[in-house]
Amino acid sequence: MKRSSSNNNNSCTRSHSLYLAIGILWSVCCTLATSAAVNENQSTQRYLHNVAVGSGSNSERLQQMLKGVGAAEINWPQRAKPQVTDVKTELAKLNTTYVYQNSWPANNVKLGAVTAVSFDKAGNVVIFHRVDRIWDQTTFNTANVYQERNRGPIKENTVLGLEPDSGQVLYEWGKNFFYLPHGLSTDPEDNVWVTDVAMHQVFKFSPRGEGGKPLLTLGTAFHSGNGPNKFCKPTAVAVLNNGDFFVADGYCNARIIKYTKEGEQILVWGQNSFSGYSYDVAPANFFAIPHALTLVPELELLCAADRENGRVQCFYSNSGTFHSQYHSPLIGDRLFSMAYTPAAGGQLVIVNGPTAELGVSSPQDHNEVHGFVMSMRTKQLVSKFGPNNLQFENPHDVAVTEDGNTIYVAELSPKRIHKFVHKSLAKPMSLSATKQISKSDMSVTASDVDATRTRHHPSGKAIMVASMMLLFAGSTFVLALIMARRRKRGCLPFGTHNRRHAWEKTEGFKLGGLLDRNGFEKLDQNASDEEHDPETTTLSQFA
């Protein structure tokens, strides 16, 4: 009896030690998870580390990165006194008029960072993606020379045509040609225009890339410049019905150039700035990265996303003369892309980006990354949208159908192409789909990981949270099993022996019996282990 009692006590002691060890382990893991979450949230707010406008050598480095030539002196006008706006409250008031299509595109569509989205003549969704390439602080030197040319062109197809309903790949092309894709658009004849920021070039291809070789090439491969035949990291192209076209020579030269159908220069306007301000009246012909272009045919306008000034600037397409500006404090000081639809009297569909702590950016400013719909008549925001009514992380481009019913958003990280349908046309979701979304509405990236692991990749934060949940579930299961066995032996935790609760003496509920059954399903540990790309922490990758 003494040996039995001694063994029992030793067993209890070991059990108590195990409880304590598991508790300490769980506390440490929770602390690490919290720390990781904080670090990630902080890093996503920065796209260029340790650089601030007007800070000596750092300022010079920034100017070198942004400009292909020396920066001109800018006499900025007095900034208008901003209206006092409770951004968080006003954002909450905006309606959500578009429904996220969570299961689009098809699961077998594997993507790299998606940089551009457009439509071909048949209405298919055409996207441009970087496959395995990432743009970070080491990709270019201060002279804007691409540093990874030795890797050769991307070996896989970079242009995909997706069926708009199913999201299946209908056609693909563009392998063994591009180095760092950026902008893509199609013209009225279904030709495809693309820009490559590594090559500093603009290309025109036949419909669906037929032939594999460009019909027209502008710029000198891997040599940047600001002359009539050179670009420096060009960002986008827009083509008029008569074949004339515009190029946004965005990152370094901050200008817009108009060409004839044959590629002869007609007009050029725009100067570089990096103020971080958004003015009520735009300083004439100044940009802080013209990042995307869209046409407004009814008004004969060309509009540009003035990225770091957080605004859309519109110009007369025949002369390049400034026409109007569109900005809202709810959008913030970074605006990555916009697309025009004549619906509802003319609207701009806009995607912004996370606030950058650079120059005049204020850490206390409230910034939410959404898609927005703005009326061109009133210059007021009509609605907002995002994945499952939440925020994007790094949206890069947007396209909208002519009737305004469907919107597509290209995102760098997570590597996604999103689809949204106007709520008046959206099909009601099944109960199971609704439950699935409700379980994941706190983490967009984690919710879109599917069993095949071929498309959506969770962020590092999502992986950490999932790991903690699995660890907690496993720890709880082990503790419950040990406690059940201790009770059978007459040993309960925390030094209490040979004492059983009244309900365990009956034939009712017994935890040990429950654990002995085969009613528990095996926890799914098939989660993606792919880490969050470093793109969200540099200037270049918001490219």
Side-chain angles (χ1 to χ4, degrees):
M1 288 296 292
K2 288 184 179 180
R3 172 177 287 184
S4 177
S5 176
S6 176
N7 291 339
N8 198 29
N9 290 336
N10 290 336
S11 178
C12 291
T13 301
R14 288 194 297 271
S15 298
H16 299 161
S17 299
L18 181 59
Y19 298 148
L20 180 61
I22 292 176
I24 293 173
L25 177 61
W26 178 242
S27 299
V28 171
C29 290
C30 287
T31 303
L32 291 175
T34 303
S35 175
V38 170
N39 290 336
E40 180 170 335
N41 288 336
Q42 291 175 344
S43 67
T44 58
Q45 300 301 312
R46 297 177 172 83
Y47 60 89
L48 184 62
H49 289 298
N50 303 321
V51 176
V53 173
S55 61
S57 61
N58 283 337
S59 178
E60 293 174 4
R61 177 168 178 248
L62 175 62
Q63 291 296 335
Q64 286 179 326
M65 292 179 69
L66 292 173
K67 295 188 67 61
V69 294
E73 292 295 328
I74 305 171
N75 294 320
W76 291 101
Q78 184 66 33
R79 188 185 185 193
K81 186 177 181 180
Q83 296 180 352
V84 178
T85 304
D86 187 340
V87 174
K88 187 174 184 179
T89 301
E90 294 302 316
L91 279 169
K93 291 179 182 178
L94 281 178
N95 293 325
T96 301
T97 53
Y98 287 87
V99 178
Y100 184 46
Q101 305 302 291
N102 193 60
S103 60
W104 194 96
N107 289 340
N108 61 344
V109 180
K110 184 178 181 180
L111 300 173
V114 187
T115 63
V117 56
S118 187
F119 304 104
D120 64 18
K121 208 168 183 178
N124 299 310
V125 182
V126 186
I127 62 175
F128 205 17
H129 74 119
R130 292 176 179 161
V131 187
D132 60 345
R133 300 297 163 90
I134 294 172
W135 186 352
D136 59 26
Q137 287 178 308
T138 64
T139 304
F140 293 89
N141 65 14
T142 56
N144 299 305
V145 177
Y146 184 60
Q147 300 296 290
E148 299 180 358
R149 187 175 175 181
N150 62 315
R151 295 181 63 184
I154 298 171
K155 296 179 176 59
E156 298 180 32
N157 287 314
T158 54
V159 182
L160 275 61
L162 306 179
E163 201 279 325
D165 291 330
S166 67
Q168 296 285 352
V169 177
L170 298 178
Y171 59 88
E172 54 186 327
W173 58 276
K175 61 183 177 181
N176 297 317
F177 189 93
F178 300 106
Y179 284 76
L180 201 58
H182 196 278
L184 179 148
S185 59
T186 57
D187 65 22
E189 297 178 355
D190 219 19
N191 298 305
V192 183
W193 297 76
V194 293
T195 68
D196 189 303
V197 290
M199 301 171 76
H200 304 291
Q201 287 183 300
V202 176
F203 304 98
K204 173 187 177 182
F205 284 88
S206 298
R208 302 193 176 192
E210 184 178 352
K213 295 183 179 181
L215 301 175
L216 178 68
T217 300
L218 297 176
T220 304
F222 301 105
H223 289 83
S224 63
N226 68 328
N229 299 315
K230 284 189 176 181
F231 304 105
C232 187
K233 302 173 186 171
T235 54
V237 178
V239 186
L240 296 170
N241 287 330
N242 66 357
D244 293 349
F245 61 96
F246 302 88
V247 174
D249 191 12
Y251 284 94
C252 314
N253 298 321
R255 60 181 179 169
I256 296 176
I257 309 171
K258 183 178 181 180
Y259 295 90
T260 65
K261 184 176 183 179
E262 292 75 25
E264 298 177 0
Q265 184 174 307
I266 303 173
L267 292 170
V268 58
W269 73 93
Q271 299 181 59
N272 202 349
S273 71
F274 205 86
S275 69
Y277 284 116
S278 297
Y279 290 87
D280 293 333
V281 178
N285 297 328
F286 281 96
F287 297 103
I289 306 179
H291 195 255
L293 300 174
T294 192
L295 294 167
V296 184
E298 297 92 328
L299 301 178
E300 297 184 345
L301 297 178
L302 171 78
C303 296
D306 188 1
R307 195 183 87 172
E308 298 302 316
N309 282 326
R311 65 185 174 202
V312 176
Q313 291 194 65
C314 294
F315 307 86
Y316 289 106
S317 57
N318 61 342
S319 65
T321 304
F322 175 78
H323 174 270
S324 54
Q325 175 184 210
Y326 301 86
H327 170 73
S328 169
L330 305 188
I331 293 175
D333 285 333
R334 305 187 80 208
L335 191 155
F336 276 69
S337 187
M338 82 276 105
Y340 172 75
T341 171
Q347 295 178 331
L348 291 173
V349 179
I350 295 167
V351 289
N352 67 343
T355 297
E357 295 180 4
L358 176 66
V360 299
S361 298
S362 177
Q364 67 264 20
D365 290 344
H366 184 78
N367 171 245
E368 294 183 11
V369 184
H370 292 290
F372 298 92
V373 179
M374 176 180 284
S375 169
M376 291 192 69
R377 292 181 300 174
T378 65
K379 294 190 177 182
Q380 299 298 312
L381 294 182
V382 177
S383 65
K384 66 179 179 180
F385 60 91
N388 296 328
N389 297 333
L390 296 179
Q391 299 185 51
F392 295 102
E393 289 190 32
N394 292 290
H396 194 258
D397 194 23
V398 63
V400 58
T401 54
E402 189 172 0
D403 58 14
N405 287 331
T406 310
I407 296 172
Y408 298 88
V409 175
E411 192 162 18
L412 292 179
S413 175
K415 301 164 185 176
R416 290 293 314 270
I417 177 69
H418 302 275
K419 179 181 179 180
F420 301 85
V421 175
H422 195 276
K423 64 181 181 181
S424 63
L425 300 176
K427 298 178 181 179
M429 291 189 297
S430 64
L431 181 60
S432 59
T434 303
K435 289 181 178 179
Q436 183 177 2
I437 292 176
S438 65
K439 290 179 181 179
S440 59
D441 61 0
M442 294 303 293
S443 177
V444 177
T445 54
S447 68
D448 294 325
V449 180
D450 49 54
T452 61
R453 298 197 301 176
T454 59
R455 182 163 59 97
H456 308 319
H457 303 285
S459 65
K461 179 179 177 181
I463 294 173
M464 179 66 73
V465 172
S467 300
M468 294 304 99
M469 292 176 64
L470 287 173
L471 180 58
F472 175 75
S475 301
T476 303
F477 184 87
V478 171
L479 284 171
L481 184 61
I482 293 173
M483 290 173 66
R485 291 180 176 177
R486 294 306 97 209
R487 289 193 182 99
K488 287 183 178 180
R489 297 178 182 180
C491 173
L492 290 177
F494 313 116
T496 304
H497 302 282
N498 300 319
R499 184 182 299 170
R500 294 179 181 269
H501 292 291
W503 62 75
E504 291 188 336
K505 297 180 180 180
T506 66
E507 294 301 321
F509 175 81
K510 291 185 179 180
L511 180 60
L514 179 61
L515 292 172
D516 290 338
R517 297 172 187 168
N518 296 322
F520 287 100
E521 296 180 1
K522 184 178 180 180
L523 291 175
D524 181 14
Q525 300 182 22
N526 188 27
S528 173
D529 57 0
E530 188 149 333
E531 294 182 355
H532 194 68
D533 287 333
E535 291 185 336
T536 57
T537 64
T538 66
L539 166 67
S540 305
Q541 94 215 5
F542 286 120

